[in-house]
Amino acid sequence: MSDDIVITGMGVVTPVGGDVETFWASNLAGRSGVVREERMDTTGLPCGWTAGLIPPDVREQVAADHGAPGRSWGDTLMHATVEQALADARLDELPAADGPAALVYARVWPGPTGSFPQDYVTHMEDLAERYDTVGNDPAAVLRHLRGKRLPLETRDLSAYPREIAERLGTAVLPVRLEATCSGGLRAIAEAARLLRTGRARYAVVSAAVSRNTPYVLSQYGQLMALSRWKGDPAQASMPFDRRRTGMVINESAGALVLETAEHAARRGVTRSHAVVGGWGLAVDTAHMTAPRVEMIERVMRTAIEEAGARPEDVDTVNAHGTSTRLNDVTEARALHRVFGERTADLPVSAVKSLTGHGSAASGVVETVASALTMCRGVVPPVPTCTEPDPACAVRTSLTPVERPVRAVLKNSFGFGGQYASMFFRRPAAPRPAHRPG
């Protein structure tokens, strides 16, 4: 029996759809979820006028179905996507004794107010007070913290791991990752590792982001990373277009169920969305925010090699494609290094053109798009790349491209020198398209 790691369940809540099928239909139709940011005053900011926002009707439904007293919006989003993924994987039919399970998740600061200055100020003040009192001696720090009640802003009050364990009805091995925008792919890699080493029978991967505040916008604005586009908001995120001015941040969430093919078959699931072939991960200390061609090339080559494949086996690339001046051209140059002359004919998709950038959640959400690309045989368009940048010279399309896709290479990179790339294979028995009714 195959020991392949397969994706058997998927769920998303995004600016272009609150479920997988709506999300996919929006991608193929080129429907944007990027709108004008009207929830806060942005008049004093040089950028950040647009955002990828979850539609009001989806937001209300998610809050009604998955909200709970004291539960943050980020955790609520993850609960919504996990429920979709569990139903898709038919895990409700799994005996509780068939555990333990792994829970690998990534989300932004979990304080009571989200990414607001007071969260960080209180945290830094607490660290300074501790250092002034006991210095850096580990034993002294432990004695200082023992019995000390930490401020709310410095504690992770989330009950998410316990709630998922109760939902699954089995012991859960929880792993929370902090890897900025590469966190989604790193979470998938960690889940696959736990499955391969026998630490868990199946794994739930989830990620969410919701941090659109004046403070966050000003942070990204100071980095000159946000789009300064003043035209149609739907055009603001334009990966690989020569007019691109920066990324658009969004709120979104995604979830996956991973298991070995043997475990899935044992419970009667013989069709899956994708096979996790291999991955490449790296951390670079050369620069906090600027990506390097060499590192992107390295993780892509590693992902392909770990999958036992060659560059010519890749049929399409689901790019990181943030729409920033530096990231897009750097990723494109790395693609040219790995694929050489094939790059001119290699279809490239960029989900962020329609959704904006969802930090760690983007890796999970875009993995869903990668899986559907293989199962449905369609490469999504990049509808905002109407004036392709010659400095990038990658092949994007304004309309869906129907073609057999055996393998997808998915890229995610992040601030702090985080790099990740993952190779996905089309399953021998792919999951068929959902038929309503």
PDB file of all heavy atoms in Angstrom, residues 201-236:
ATOM      1  N   ARG A 201      -1.961   9.809  13.125  1.00  0.00           N
ATOM      2  CA  ARG A 201      -2.650   9.020  12.099  1.00  0.00           C
ATOM      3  C   ARG A 201      -3.157   9.896  10.957  1.00  0.00           C
ATOM      4  O   ARG A 201      -3.232   9.462   9.817  1.00  0.00           O
ATOM      5  CB  ARG A 201      -3.831   8.279  12.733  1.00  0.00           C
ATOM      6  CG  ARG A 201      -3.442   7.305  13.821  1.00  0.00           C
ATOM      7  CD  ARG A 201      -2.675   6.121  13.253  1.00  0.00           C
ATOM      8  NE  ARG A 201      -2.366   5.142  14.274  1.00  0.00           N
ATOM      9  CZ  ARG A 201      -3.164   4.152  14.634  1.00  0.00           C
ATOM     10  NH1 ARG A 201      -4.334   4.005  14.025  1.00  0.00           N
ATOM     11  NH2 ARG A 201      -2.815   3.310  15.575  1.00  0.00           N
ATOM     12  N   TYR A 202      -3.545  11.120  11.312  1.00  0.00           N
ATOM     13  CA  TYR A 202      -3.955  12.094  10.303  1.00  0.00           C
ATOM     14  C   TYR A 202      -3.657  13.473  10.855  1.00  0.00           C
ATOM     15  O   TYR A 202      -3.346  13.628  12.053  1.00  0.00           O
ATOM     16  CB  TYR A 202      -5.433  11.949   9.926  1.00  0.00           C
ATOM     17  CG  TYR A 202      -6.399  12.152  11.060  1.00  0.00           C
ATOM     18  CD1 TYR A 202      -6.990  13.392  11.284  1.00  0.00           C
ATOM     19  CD2 TYR A 202      -6.745  11.097  11.905  1.00  0.00           C
ATOM     20  CE1 TYR A 202      -7.891  13.581  12.317  1.00  0.00           C
ATOM     21  CE2 TYR A 202      -7.646  11.277  12.939  1.00  0.00           C
ATOM     22  CZ  TYR A 202      -8.211  12.514  13.145  1.00  0.00           C
ATOM     23  OH  TYR A 202      -9.099  12.700  14.175  1.00  0.00           O
ATOM     24  N   ALA A 203      -3.717  14.480  10.019  1.00  0.00           N
ATOM     25  CA  ALA A 203      -3.345  15.828  10.448  1.00  0.00           C
ATOM     26  C   ALA A 203      -4.323  16.851   9.905  1.00  0.00           C
ATOM     27  O   ALA A 203      -4.791  16.742   8.769  1.00  0.00           O
ATOM     28  CB  ALA A 203      -1.928  16.159   9.987  1.00  0.00           C
ATOM     29  N   VAL A 204      -4.607  17.846  10.736  1.00  0.00           N
ATOM     30  CA  VAL A 204      -5.398  19.003  10.328  1.00  0.00           C
ATOM     31  C   VAL A 204      -4.451  20.193  10.277  1.00  0.00           C
ATOM     32  O   VAL A 204      -3.749  20.482  11.255  1.00  0.00           O
ATOM     33  CB  VAL A 204      -6.542  19.279  11.313  1.00  0.00           C
ATOM     34  CG1 VAL A 204      -7.266  20.575  10.940  1.00  0.00           C
ATOM     35  CG2 VAL A 204      -7.519  18.115  11.342  1.00  0.00           C
ATOM     36  N   VAL A 205      -4.411  20.858   9.143  1.00  0.00           N
ATOM     37  CA  VAL A 205      -3.590  22.056   8.961  1.00  0.00           C
ATOM     38  C   VAL A 205      -4.527  23.240   8.779  1.00  0.00           C
ATOM     39  O   VAL A 205      -5.479  23.167   7.996  1.00  0.00           O
ATOM     40  CB  VAL A 205      -2.678  21.924   7.731  1.00  0.00           C
ATOM     41  CG1 VAL A 205      -1.946  23.238   7.461  1.00  0.00           C
ATOM     42  CG2 VAL A 205      -1.685  20.786   7.916  1.00  0.00           C
ATOM     43  N   SER A 206      -4.280  24.315   9.500  1.00  0.00           N
ATOM     44  CA  SER A 206      -5.124  25.500   9.333  1.00  0.00           C
ATOM     45  C   SER A 206      -4.300  26.764   9.512  1.00  0.00           C
ATOM     46  O   SER A 206      -3.267  26.766  10.190  1.00  0.00           O
ATOM     47  CB  SER A 206      -6.297  25.486  10.326  1.00  0.00           C
ATOM     48  OG  SER A 206      -5.833  25.585  11.656  1.00  0.00           O
ATOM     49  N   ALA A 207      -4.756  27.831   8.887  1.00  0.00           N
ATOM     50  CA  ALA A 207      -4.094  29.131   9.000  1.00  0.00           C
ATOM     51  C   ALA A 207      -5.119  30.216   8.748  1.00  0.00           C
ATOM     52  O   ALA A 207      -6.045  30.038   7.951  1.00  0.00           O
ATOM     53  CB  ALA A 207      -2.944  29.247   8.001  1.00  0.00           C
ATOM     54  N   ALA A 208      -4.952  31.327   9.451  1.00  0.00           N
ATOM     55  CA  ALA A 208      -5.882  32.443   9.282  1.00  0.00           C
ATOM     56  C   ALA A 208      -5.149  33.751   9.513  1.00  0.00           C
ATOM     57  O   ALA A 208      -4.152  33.813  10.243  1.00  0.00           O
ATOM     58  CB  ALA A 208      -7.056  32.331  10.262  1.00  0.00           C
ATOM     59  N   VAL A 209      -5.656  34.804   8.887  1.00  0.00           N
ATOM     60  CA  VAL A 209      -5.103  36.135   9.101  1.00  0.00           C
ATOM     61  C   VAL A 209      -6.234  37.148   9.022  1.00  0.00           C
ATOM     62  O   VAL A 209      -7.133  37.038   8.204  1.00  0.00           O
ATOM     63  CB  VAL A 209      -4.014  36.466   8.062  1.00  0.00           C
ATOM     64  CG1 VAL A 209      -4.599  36.513   6.656  1.00  0.00           C
ATOM     65  CG2 VAL A 209      -3.333  37.791   8.381  1.00  0.00           C
ATOM     66  N   SER A 210      -6.195  38.095   9.926  1.00  0.00           N
ATOM     67  CA  SER A 210      -7.113  39.237   9.895  1.00  0.00           C
ATOM     68  C   SER A 210      -6.461  40.336  10.716  1.00  0.00           C
ATOM     69  O   SER A 210      -6.544  40.349  11.935  1.00  0.00           O
ATOM     70  CB  SER A 210      -8.480  38.878  10.487  1.00  0.00           C
ATOM     71  OG  SER A 210      -9.353  39.988  10.421  1.00  0.00           O
ATOM     72  N   ARG A 211      -5.779  41.229  10.044  1.00  0.00           N
ATOM     73  CA  ARG A 211      -4.981  42.225  10.762  1.00  0.00           C
ATOM     74  C   ARG A 211      -5.013  43.587  10.093  1.00  0.00           C
ATOM     75  O   ARG A 211      -4.034  44.314  10.101  1.00  0.00           O
ATOM     76  CB  ARG A 211      -3.544  41.736  10.882  1.00  0.00           C
ATOM     77  CG  ARG A 211      -2.944  41.362   9.538  1.00  0.00           C
ATOM     78  CD  ARG A 211      -1.540  40.831   9.669  1.00  0.00           C
ATOM     79  NE  ARG A 211      -1.025  40.511   8.353  1.00  0.00           N
ATOM     80  CZ  ARG A 211       0.206  40.090   8.130  1.00  0.00           C
ATOM     81  NH1 ARG A 211       1.025  39.946   9.129  1.00  0.00           N
ATOM     82  NH2 ARG A 211       0.608  39.823   6.915  1.00  0.00           N
ATOM     83  N   ASN A 212      -6.122  43.912   9.469  1.00  0.00           N
ATOM     84  CA  ASN A 212      -6.239  45.205   8.801  1.00  0.00           C
ATOM     85  C   ASN A 212      -6.541  46.290   9.829  1.00  0.00           C
ATOM     86  O   ASN A 212      -7.698  46.562  10.157  1.00  0.00           O
ATOM     87  CB  ASN A 212      -7.344  45.164   7.741  1.00  0.00           C
ATOM     88  CG  ASN A 212      -7.045  44.168   6.648  1.00  0.00           C
ATOM     89  OD1 ASN A 212      -6.723  43.025   6.928  1.00  0.00           O
ATOM     90  ND2 ASN A 212      -7.152  44.600   5.411  1.00  0.00           N
ATOM     91  N   THR A 213      -5.496  46.901  10.346  1.00  0.00           N
ATOM     92  CA  THR A 213      -5.633  48.002  11.296  1.00  0.00           C
ATOM     93  C   THR A 213      -4.734  49.140  10.833  1.00  0.00           C
ATOM     94  O   THR A 213      -3.789  48.916  10.070  1.00  0.00           O
ATOM     95  CB  THR A 213      -5.209  47.573  12.711  1.00  0.00           C
ATOM     96  OG1 THR A 213      -3.780  47.384  12.729  1.00  0.00           O
ATOM     97  CG2 THR A 213      -5.885  46.288  13.134  1.00  0.00           C
ATOM     98  N   PRO A 214      -5.000  50.369  11.282  1.00  0.00           N
ATOM     99  CA  PRO A 214      -4.121  51.480  10.897  1.00  0.00           C
ATOM    100  C   PRO A 214      -2.662  51.207  11.264  1.00  0.00           C
ATOM    101  O   PRO A 214      -1.749  51.590  10.539  1.00  0.00           O
ATOM    102  CB  PRO A 214      -4.691  52.659  11.693  1.00  0.00           C
ATOM    103  CG  PRO A 214      -6.127  52.315  11.878  1.00  0.00           C
ATOM    104  CD  PRO A 214      -6.158  50.832  12.063  1.00  0.00           C
ATOM    105  N   TYR A 215      -2.444  50.530  12.391  1.00  0.00           N
ATOM    106  CA  TYR A 215      -1.078  50.230  12.826  1.00  0.00           C
ATOM    107  C   TYR A 215      -0.376  49.302  11.842  1.00  0.00           C
ATOM    108  O   TYR A 215       0.762  49.535  11.429  1.00  0.00           O
ATOM    109  CB  TYR A 215      -1.120  49.597  14.218  1.00  0.00           C
ATOM    110  CG  TYR A 215       0.234  49.251  14.783  1.00  0.00           C
ATOM    111  CD1 TYR A 215       1.208  50.230  14.934  1.00  0.00           C
ATOM    112  CD2 TYR A 215       0.532  47.946  15.175  1.00  0.00           C
ATOM    113  CE1 TYR A 215       2.448  49.922  15.455  1.00  0.00           C
ATOM    114  CE2 TYR A 215       1.771  47.621  15.701  1.00  0.00           C
ATOM    115  CZ  TYR A 215       2.724  48.617  15.843  1.00  0.00           C
ATOM    116  OH  TYR A 215       3.955  48.313  16.354  1.00  0.00           O
ATOM    117  N   VAL A 216      -1.068  48.243  11.430  1.00  0.00           N
ATOM    118  CA  VAL A 216      -0.476  47.294  10.482  1.00  0.00           C
ATOM    119  C   VAL A 216      -0.239  47.973   9.137  1.00  0.00           C
ATOM    120  O   VAL A 216       0.813  47.793   8.516  1.00  0.00           O
ATOM    121  CB  VAL A 216      -1.370  46.050  10.318  1.00  0.00           C
ATOM    122  CG1 VAL A 216      -0.877  45.179   9.176  1.00  0.00           C
ATOM    123  CG2 VAL A 216      -1.392  45.249  11.611  1.00  0.00           C
ATOM    124  N   LEU A 217      -1.220  48.745   8.673  1.00  0.00           N
ATOM    125  CA  LEU A 217      -1.058  49.445   7.406  1.00  0.00           C
ATOM    126  C   LEU A 217       0.140  50.393   7.451  1.00  0.00           C
ATOM    127  O   LEU A 217       0.899  50.499   6.480  1.00  0.00           O
ATOM    128  CB  LEU A 217      -2.321  50.221   7.054  1.00  0.00           C
ATOM    129  CG  LEU A 217      -3.564  49.400   6.699  1.00  0.00           C
ATOM    130  CD1 LEU A 217      -4.731  50.313   6.382  1.00  0.00           C
ATOM    131  CD2 LEU A 217      -3.290  48.461   5.538  1.00  0.00           C
ATOM    132  N   SER A 218       0.335  51.078   8.566  1.00  0.00           N
ATOM    133  CA  SER A 218       1.467  52.000   8.660  1.00  0.00           C
ATOM    134  C   SER A 218       2.788  51.235   8.689  1.00  0.00           C
ATOM    135  O   SER A 218       3.791  51.697   8.133  1.00  0.00           O
ATOM    136  CB  SER A 218       1.335  52.874   9.907  1.00  0.00           C
ATOM    137  OG  SER A 218       1.438  52.106  11.095  1.00  0.00           O
ATOM    138  N   GLN A 219       2.800  50.051   9.328  1.00  0.00           N
ATOM    139  CA  GLN A 219       4.014  49.234   9.341  1.00  0.00           C
ATOM    140  C   GLN A 219       4.419  48.843   7.926  1.00  0.00           C
ATOM    141  O   GLN A 219       5.566  49.031   7.511  1.00  0.00           O
ATOM    142  CB  GLN A 219       3.784  47.965  10.165  1.00  0.00           C
ATOM    143  CG  GLN A 219       3.792  48.172  11.672  1.00  0.00           C
ATOM    144  CD  GLN A 219       3.597  46.861  12.411  1.00  0.00           C
ATOM    145  OE1 GLN A 219       2.739  46.062  12.058  1.00  0.00           O
ATOM    146  NE2 GLN A 219       4.399  46.633  13.429  1.00  0.00           N
ATOM    147  N   TYR A 220       3.471  48.272   7.179  1.00  0.00           N
ATOM    148  CA  TYR A 220       3.770  47.872   5.805  1.00  0.00           C
ATOM    149  C   TYR A 220       4.042  49.086   4.928  1.00  0.00           C
ATOM    150  O   TYR A 220       4.840  49.014   3.983  1.00  0.00           O
ATOM    151  CB  TYR A 220       2.609  47.061   5.229  1.00  0.00           C
ATOM    152  CG  TYR A 220       2.603  45.626   5.653  1.00  0.00           C
ATOM    153  CD1 TYR A 220       1.594  45.119   6.470  1.00  0.00           C
ATOM    154  CD2 TYR A 220       3.599  44.748   5.235  1.00  0.00           C
ATOM    155  CE1 TYR A 220       1.586  43.786   6.867  1.00  0.00           C
ATOM    156  CE2 TYR A 220       3.599  43.420   5.620  1.00  0.00           C
ATOM    157  CZ  TYR A 220       2.588  42.943   6.435  1.00  0.00           C
ATOM    158  OH  TYR A 220       2.582  41.640   6.821  1.00  0.00           O
ATOM    159  N   GLY A 221       3.366  50.186   5.245  1.00  0.00           N
ATOM    160  CA  GLY A 221       3.593  51.399   4.474  1.00  0.00           C
ATOM    161  C   GLY A 221       5.024  51.901   4.612  1.00  0.00           C
ATOM    162  O   GLY A 221       5.636  52.350   3.642  1.00  0.00           O
ATOM    163  N   GLN A 222       5.576  51.827   5.830  1.00  0.00           N
ATOM    164  CA  GLN A 222       6.949  52.263   6.051  1.00  0.00           C
ATOM    165  C   GLN A 222       7.945  51.389   5.286  1.00  0.00           C
ATOM    166  O   GLN A 222       9.031  51.840   4.915  1.00  0.00           O
ATOM    167  CB  GLN A 222       7.272  52.226   7.538  1.00  0.00           C
ATOM    168  CG  GLN A 222       6.537  53.286   8.340  1.00  0.00           C
ATOM    169  CD  GLN A 222       6.809  53.165   9.823  1.00  0.00           C
ATOM    170  OE1 GLN A 222       7.942  53.265  10.258  1.00  0.00           O
ATOM    171  NE2 GLN A 222       5.767  52.940  10.605  1.00  0.00           N
ATOM    172  N   LEU A 223       7.569  50.145   5.033  1.00  0.00           N
ATOM    173  CA  LEU A 223       8.416  49.243   4.251  1.00  0.00           C
ATOM    174  C   LEU A 223       8.237  49.447   2.751  1.00  0.00           C
ATOM    175  O   LEU A 223       8.899  48.776   1.953  1.00  0.00           O
ATOM    176  CB  LEU A 223       8.092  47.785   4.597  1.00  0.00           C
ATOM    177  CG  LEU A 223       8.430  47.333   6.019  1.00  0.00           C
ATOM    178  CD1 LEU A 223       7.876  45.938   6.266  1.00  0.00           C
ATOM    179  CD2 LEU A 223       9.930  47.358   6.247  1.00  0.00           C
ATOM    180  N   MET A 224       7.325  50.341   2.363  1.00  0.00           N
ATOM    181  CA  MET A 224       7.006  50.583   0.953  1.00  0.00           C
ATOM    182  C   MET A 224       6.529  49.302   0.278  1.00  0.00           C
ATOM    183  O   MET A 224       6.813  49.038  -0.893  1.00  0.00           O
ATOM    184  CB  MET A 224       8.221  51.159   0.214  1.00  0.00           C
ATOM    185  CG  MET A 224       8.724  52.461   0.778  1.00  0.00           C
ATOM    186  SD  MET A 224       7.475  53.792   0.708  1.00  0.00           S
ATOM    187  CE  MET A 224       7.403  54.082  -1.061  1.00  0.00           C
ATOM    188  N   ALA A 225       5.787  48.473   1.032  1.00  0.00           N
ATOM    189  CA  ALA A 225       5.358  47.181   0.522  1.00  0.00           C
ATOM    190  C   ALA A 225       3.926  47.186   0.012  1.00  0.00           C
ATOM    191  O   ALA A 225       3.535  46.295  -0.742  1.00  0.00           O
ATOM    192  CB  ALA A 225       5.500  46.110   1.605  1.00  0.00           C
ATOM    193  N   LEU A 226       3.120  48.167   0.422  1.00  0.00           N
ATOM    194  CA  LEU A 226       1.699  48.164   0.059  1.00  0.00           C
ATOM    195  C   LEU A 226       1.439  48.889  -1.254  1.00  0.00           C
ATOM    196  O   LEU A 226       2.127  49.845  -1.610  1.00  0.00           O
ATOM    197  CB  LEU A 226       0.873  48.815   1.169  1.00  0.00           C
ATOM    198  CG  LEU A 226       0.738  48.052   2.480  1.00  0.00           C
ATOM    199  CD1 LEU A 226      -0.220  48.789   3.397  1.00  0.00           C
ATOM    200  CD2 LEU A 226       0.263  46.630   2.244  1.00  0.00           C
ATOM    201  N   SER A 227       0.396  48.421  -1.936  1.00  0.00           N
ATOM    202  CA  SER A 227       0.011  49.009  -3.211  1.00  0.00           C
ATOM    203  C   SER A 227      -0.378  50.474  -3.042  1.00  0.00           C
ATOM    204  O   SER A 227      -1.088  50.842  -2.110  1.00  0.00           O
ATOM    205  CB  SER A 227      -1.169  48.233  -3.801  1.00  0.00           C
ATOM    206  OG  SER A 227      -1.659  48.872  -4.958  1.00  0.00           O
ATOM    207  N   ARG A 228       0.090  51.276  -3.962  1.00  0.00           N
ATOM    208  CA  ARG A 228      -0.270  52.698  -3.985  1.00  0.00           C
ATOM    209  C   ARG A 228      -1.191  53.011  -5.165  1.00  0.00           C
ATOM    210  O   ARG A 228      -1.340  54.158  -5.573  1.00  0.00           O
ATOM    211  CB  ARG A 228       1.010  53.548  -4.054  1.00  0.00           C
ATOM    212  CG  ARG A 228       1.904  53.375  -2.846  1.00  0.00           C
ATOM    213  CD  ARG A 228       3.169  54.203  -2.910  1.00  0.00           C
ATOM    214  NE  ARG A 228       4.046  53.820  -4.013  1.00  0.00           N
ATOM    215  CZ  ARG A 228       4.842  52.755  -4.016  1.00  0.00           C
ATOM    216  NH1 ARG A 228       4.852  51.952  -2.966  1.00  0.00           N
ATOM    217  NH2 ARG A 228       5.614  52.484  -5.056  1.00  0.00           N
ATOM    218  N   TRP A 229      -1.804  51.971  -5.689  1.00  0.00           N
ATOM    219  CA  TRP A 229      -2.716  52.098  -6.827  1.00  0.00           C
ATOM    220  C   TRP A 229      -3.948  52.904  -6.430  1.00  0.00           C
ATOM    221  O   TRP A 229      -4.571  52.623  -5.407  1.00  0.00           O
ATOM    222  CB  TRP A 229      -3.104  50.706  -7.302  1.00  0.00           C
ATOM    223  CG  TRP A 229      -4.054  50.655  -8.462  1.00  0.00           C
ATOM    224  CD1 TRP A 229      -5.395  50.402  -8.402  1.00  0.00           C
ATOM    225  CD2 TRP A 229      -3.740  50.827  -9.831  1.00  0.00           C
ATOM    226  NE1 TRP A 229      -5.934  50.403  -9.673  1.00  0.00           N
ATOM    227  CE2 TRP A 229      -4.930  50.670 -10.563  1.00  0.00           C
ATOM    228  CE3 TRP A 229      -2.554  51.107 -10.520  1.00  0.00           C
ATOM    229  CZ2 TRP A 229      -4.973  50.775 -11.955  1.00  0.00           C
ATOM    230  CZ3 TRP A 229      -2.592  51.222 -11.900  1.00  0.00           C
ATOM    231  CH2 TRP A 229      -3.795  51.050 -12.600  1.00  0.00           C
ATOM    232  N   LYS A 230      -4.329  53.876  -7.244  1.00  0.00           N
ATOM    233  CA  LYS A 230      -5.475  54.724  -6.937  1.00  0.00           C
ATOM    234  C   LYS A 230      -6.636  54.543  -7.905  1.00  0.00           C
ATOM    235  O   LYS A 230      -7.636  55.248  -7.805  1.00  0.00           O
ATOM    236  CB  LYS A 230      -5.048  56.200  -6.935  1.00  0.00           C
ATOM    237  CG  LYS A 230      -4.113  56.563  -5.786  1.00  0.00           C
ATOM    238  CD  LYS A 230      -3.850  58.051  -5.751  1.00  0.00           C
ATOM    239  CE  LYS A 230      -2.962  58.437  -4.573  1.00  0.00           C
ATOM    240  NZ  LYS A 230      -2.715  59.893  -4.501  1.00  0.00           N
ATOM    241  N   GLY A 231      -6.496  53.594  -8.818  1.00  0.00           N
ATOM    242  CA  GLY A 231      -7.569  53.357  -9.775  1.00  0.00           C
ATOM    243  C   GLY A 231      -8.571  52.351  -9.253  1.00  0.00           C
ATOM    244  O   GLY A 231      -8.864  52.293  -8.054  1.00  0.00           O
ATOM    245  N   ASP A 232      -9.122  51.539 -10.150  1.00  0.00           N
ATOM    246  CA  ASP A 232     -10.095  50.511  -9.790  1.00  0.00           C
ATOM    247  C   ASP A 232      -9.478  49.589  -8.741  1.00  0.00           C
ATOM    248  O   ASP A 232      -8.426  48.980  -8.978  1.00  0.00           O
ATOM    249  CB  ASP A 232     -10.466  49.721 -11.041  1.00  0.00           C
ATOM    250  CG  ASP A 232     -11.454  48.598 -10.759  1.00  0.00           C
ATOM    251  OD1 ASP A 232     -11.965  48.509  -9.627  1.00  0.00           O
ATOM    252  OD2 ASP A 232     -11.711  47.807 -11.694  1.00  0.00           O
ATOM    253  N   PRO A 233     -10.104  49.454  -7.559  1.00  0.00           N
ATOM    254  CA  PRO A 233      -9.522  48.599  -6.513  1.00  0.00           C
ATOM    255  C   PRO A 233      -9.251  47.171  -6.964  1.00  0.00           C
ATOM    256  O   PRO A 233      -8.276  46.550  -6.537  1.00  0.00           O
ATOM    257  CB  PRO A 233     -10.590  48.635  -5.409  1.00  0.00           C
ATOM    258  CG  PRO A 233     -11.314  49.911  -5.616  1.00  0.00           C
ATOM    259  CD  PRO A 233     -11.332  50.124  -7.098  1.00  0.00           C
ATOM    260  N   ALA A 234     -10.098  46.651  -7.863  1.00  0.00           N
ATOM    261  CA  ALA A 234      -9.928  45.276  -8.325  1.00  0.00           C
ATOM    262  C   ALA A 234      -8.620  45.079  -9.083  1.00  0.00           C
ATOM    263  O   ALA A 234      -8.165  43.948  -9.262  1.00  0.00           O
ATOM    264  CB  ALA A 234     -11.104  44.873  -9.216  1.00  0.00           C
ATOM    265  N   GLN A 235      -7.985  46.174  -9.511  1.00  0.00           N
ATOM    266  CA  GLN A 235      -6.734  46.100 -10.263  1.00  0.00           C
ATOM    267  C   GLN A 235      -5.511  46.325  -9.369  1.00  0.00           C
ATOM    268  O   GLN A 235      -4.371  46.237  -9.830  1.00  0.00           O
ATOM    269  CB  GLN A 235      -6.755  47.152 -11.385  1.00  0.00           C
ATOM    270  CG  GLN A 235      -5.576  47.147 -12.338  1.00  0.00           C
ATOM    271  CD  GLN A 235      -5.477  45.892 -13.184  1.00  0.00           C
ATOM    272  OE1 GLN A 235      -6.497  45.317 -13.539  1.00  0.00           O
ATOM    273  NE2 GLN A 235      -4.248  45.463 -13.494  1.00  0.00           N
ATOM    274  N   ALA A 236      -5.724  46.574  -8.082  1.00  0.00           N
ATOM    275  CA  ALA A 236      -4.636  47.010  -7.206  1.00  0.00           C
ATOM    276  C   ALA A 236      -3.542  45.969  -7.025  1.00  0.00           C
ATOM    277  O   ALA A 236      -2.367  46.302  -6.887  1.00  0.00           O
ATOM    278  CB  ALA A 236      -5.200  47.421  -5.841  1.00  0.00           C
TER     279      ALA A 236
END
